[in-house]
Amino acid sequence: MSIIGFIGSGNIGGTLARMAVAAGHDVVLSNRRGPDSLAGLVAELGPNARAATPAEAAEAGDLVVVTVPLHAYRAVPVAELRGKVVIDTDNYYPDRDGRIAELDDESTTTSELLQAHLPESRVVKAFNNIFFKHLPVLARPGGDPERSALAVAGDDEAAKRAAAAFIDSIGYDVHDVGPLAEGWRYQRDTAAYVPYFGSAPTGGPDFAAAPRRVTADRLEELLRAAKRYRDM
Ligand SMILES: NC(=O)c1ccc[n+]([C@@H]2O[C@H](COP(=O)([O-])OP(=O)(O)OC[C@H]3O[C@@H](n4cnc5c(N)ncnc54)[C@H](OP(=O)(O)O)[C@@H]3O)[C@@H](O)[C@H]2O)c1
């Protein structure tokens, strides 16, 4: 079992922390407002959880999840994450994050931006294309025929294996999409973005419906069908 650090403890961070504790990991949570604001979540999670500053959570984690609004990525601690595996859940929403020129012209991708900010860390892109409420609902033990797969991308194979072991421990198979530069294939608005949603009669995602299983084969099909923003 590992210590999982969290930079960001909101919808995705809080959900993953609950799943990590249920799987037997320890968690160190952090956010923007400070440890006191996380007292409720820590109390809910029990003795395997504590709250800290982002630098402390980065330092404590065997593996660290960065899960903040993308506009805050430059605030992610650098020195404390040196040499570590960093899972990046962040997505680019210009209305929330402001315009980021190198994402708009598609000369880079969100996780490559974080990797450039953390040059000595090993970034793995994961959990970007699943709605946080679906994460605990679709989780299944290893070998369960109804298990779903989650996409990972990264430039460091050992880091991807470490991320995969964590993802497996909380209930998902892993589908390797390749290097970080391929991460655009499951970015916002692509075919492989939030495929776990049931479809509403209008064709859009149905927030009320139960999520649906996505196998690695189905994910691969959607990833291959993904289009660049410029080709949409
Ligand atoms: N929601 C989803 O279903 C979903 C799914 C896949 C990917 N994502 C992506 O994952 C990321 C997190 O999403 P979310 O829905 O979990 O967001 P959220 O609920 O708004 O939580 C964001 C967290 O980041 C923290 N934060 C903000 N600025 C920070 C900073 N400078 N230093 C440390 N922590 C900081 C916030 O702290 P405070 O509360 O103190 O401000 C909060 O704990 C986003 O990039 C999102 O696009 C979301």
Side-chain angles (χ1 to χ4, degrees), residues 28 30 60 62 97 104 109 111 115 117 120-121 124 127 143-144 148 163 177 187 199:
V28 182
S30 73
D62 299 316
D97 299 317
D104 287 339
T109 61
S111 291
Q115 180 67 80
H117 173 69
E120 295 179 64
S121 304
V124 179
F127 302 114
D144 188 300
S148 284
V177 181
Q187 69 191 358
S199 287

Side-chain angles (χ1 to χ4, degrees), residues 61-225:
D62 299 316
L63 184 153
V64 178
V65 181
V66 169
T67 182
V68 298
L70 186 65
H71 63 74
Y73 83 90
R74 284 195 185 85
V76 173
V78 177
E80 293 82 356
L81 289 173
R82 196 168 286 144
K84 298 206 180 195
V85 177
V86 174
I87 291 185
D88 173 31
T89 82
D90 296 354
N91 289 317
Y92 176 39
Y93 281 93
D95 288 350
R96 177 193 65 191
D97 299 317
R99 286 279 166 199
I100 300 176
E102 56 271 54
L103 295 178
D104 287 339
D105 69 14
E106 298 187 282
S107 57
T108 190
T109 61
T110 52
S111 291
E112 287 174 292
L113 274 188
L114 183 66
Q115 180 67 80
H117 173 69
L118 302 172
E120 295 179 64
S121 304
R122 297 174 291 153
V123 173
V124 179
K125 180 181 175 79
F127 302 114
N128 313 75
N129 66 337
I130 183 165
F131 182 48
F132 75 100
K133 288 187 179 172
H134 293 169
L135 268 167
V137 181
L138 287 173
R140 297 285 185 282
D144 188 300
E146 286 303 308
R147 218 182 200 212
S148 284
L150 291 175
V152 296
D155 296 339
D156 183 298
E157 295 303 321
K160 274 196 283 201
R161 283 196 296 277
F166 171 64
I167 292 168
D168 175 57
S169 76
I170 62 167
Y172 286 86
D173 291 336
V174 163
H175 183 63
D176 188 350
V177 181
L180 284 183
E182 287 293 290
W184 68 269
R185 290 186 180 277
Y186 53 109
Q187 69 191 358
R188 191 200 73 240
D189 295 344
T190 57
Y193 195 61
V194 291
Y196 310 86
F197 269 109
S199 287
T202 54
D206 187 346
F207 284 79
R212 59 186 176 197
R213 176 183 183 227
V214 176
T215 63
D217 285 349
R218 175 65 181 146
L219 206 45
E220 178 62 19
E221 221 175 276
L222 296 167
L223 289 159
R224 292 303 128 207

